[in-house]
Amino acid sequence: MKLVKAITKWAKAQGAQHVFFYVTSGTRIAQTDAFFRKMGLTTLGGNYAVKV
């Protein structure tokens, strides 16, 4: 959680409008999905994105 928040905070400070997290895990897919959704991200294809 801290890493996702830190990356999002850094990206916002750099003037980014979105952050994309590329997920390559083939295991625990439901848990990975729940984690990113809990962090406020939405799916974009097979990846996740958040507007900063």
Side-chain angles (χ1 to χ4, degrees), residues 27-36:
T27 60
R28 301 184 64 170
I29 296 168
Q31 292 88 346
T32 302
D33 181 61
F35 169 78
F36 280 111

